[in-house]
Amino acid sequence: MKLHLLTLVASSFLIPALSVFAADTGSIVGKITLSGKAPEAKKRSADADPHCKAAHPGGVPIRNYIVAADGGMANVFVYVKDGLAGKKFPAPTTSVTLNQEGCLYNPMVLGIQVGQTLIIQNSDDTLHNVHSMSQKNREFNISQSQKGMTSKQQFAKPEVFVKFKCDVHDWMTSYAGVLDHPFFAVTKEDGSFTISGLPPGDYTIEAKHPKAGEQTVKVKVAAGEVKADFKPFVVKP
């Protein structure tokens, strides 16, 4: 009876403590936009590969900029660049997938933690490969000749960005933001993003796009929600 009573008393103190901790964390929200009109997507011939040609009979559109009608820009990696010194965060047990589908990488930009598993998957009935152009991590080059093939990789160090390219289809590129913490997001098609669960503090937030470059802002996070105001990006070659 005493054991049950002790467990009940301990639980009654533990639950409110967790609730207070959750209530103390904050979120960073915002929207990334592009100034002016996005350039038209160039097209690359896929005639050399029957599978890719069937998927893109008019040519593969190279959409470096995916921009909504109001200027909101997708595929921007937004993350905490500074402010977490001394804090450690375990790698998630969930995985992140980079898929080769329709002779394109999906997603174009992804976020992943150090030590988290990256699953590389071929959903096309043709030869693909994923060649990581890492500067700080071990480089790898994986060929997948058949539909349904998968491979697993991990990163040992933070690196923004790791570029992936396909040596078979040179229009295929993708980018990974590798961090040692979970506070990042990739903008949606409307350009919006949310980074949740941050402890109160002062942070430097960076927004980085594979083509348009990067910019940083400083924010002070408390309980609730704070907005990160980035200037509109401009088109770069």
Side-chain angles (χ1 to χ4, degrees):
M1 179 62 71
K2 290 182 179 180
L3 179 61
H4 290 298
L5 180 60
L6 180 61
T7 303
L8 180 60
V9 171
S11 299
S12 68
F13 282 100
L14 182 60
I15 294 172
L18 289 173
S19 300
V20 170
F21 178 78
D24 282 345
T25 62
S27 298
I28 299 173
V29 300
K31 182 171 182 175
I32 306 297
T33 60
L34 183 72
S35 177
K37 186 178 179 181
E40 283 190 34
K42 297 180 180 179
K43 290 190 176 183
R44 296 287 302 277
S45 172
D47 291 354
D49 188 318
H51 180 88
C52 297
K53 184 177 181 180
H56 305 280
V60 183
I62 310 302
R63 300 184 67 194
N64 290 326
Y65 292 87
I66 298 178
V67 182
D70 65 352
M73 185 162 63
N75 292 322
V76 181
F77 187 66
V78 188
Y79 69 102
V80 174
K81 186 174 185 178
D82 188 48
L84 294 168
K87 297 181 174 66
K88 294 185 178 181
F89 303 91
T93 56
T94 56
S95 60
V96 177
T97 298
L98 177 63
N99 193 14
Q100 298 155 105
E101 185 174 20
C103 295
L104 295 169
Y105 287 137
N106 183 34
M108 178 182 170
V109 175
L110 61 89
I112 191 169
Q113 279 186 244
V114 169
Q116 189 175 9
T117 298
L118 175 68
I119 296 178
I120 297 169
Q121 176 177 316
N122 186 2
S123 294
D124 286 336
D125 193 15
T126 192
L127 170 65
H128 285 309
N129 85 304
V130 177
H131 187 177
S132 75
M133 311 298 290
S134 305
Q135 300 298 314
K136 298 179 180 179
N137 287 277
R138 178 183 57 84
E139 186 175 341
F140 59 81
N141 195 343
I142 298 169
S143 293
Q144 295 180 333
S145 59
Q146 297 177 355
K147 182 177 181 178
M149 293 183 70
T150 61
S151 178
K152 294 181 180 180
Q153 294 290 326
Q154 291 183 344
F155 297 98
K157 299 177 182 179
E159 185 174 351
V160 181
F161 282 130
V162 174
K163 180 180 178 179
F164 304 120
K165 72 171 186 175
C166 178
D167 297 322
V168 182
H169 310 104
D170 62 4
W171 63 78
M172 291 177 64
T173 56
S174 183
Y175 301 83
V178 183
L179 298 174
D180 55 5
H181 63 76
F183 302 112
F184 57 84
V186 179
T187 56
K188 301 176 183 178
E189 289 198 355
D190 65 355
S192 66
F193 69 88
T194 300
I195 301 174
S196 302
L198 270 164
D202 296 309
Y203 298 98
T204 300
I205 310 301
E206 181 166 272
K208 185 166 184 174
H209 185 267
K211 296 297 181 181
E214 64 280 326
Q215 54 176 288
T216 59
V217 297
K218 293 185 181 298
V219 297
K220 187 177 185 66
V221 172
E225 201 171 81
V226 62
K227 185 177 181 182
D229 288 317
F230 288 96
K231 295 179 180 178
F233 280 75
V234 295
V235 173
K236 294 182 181 179

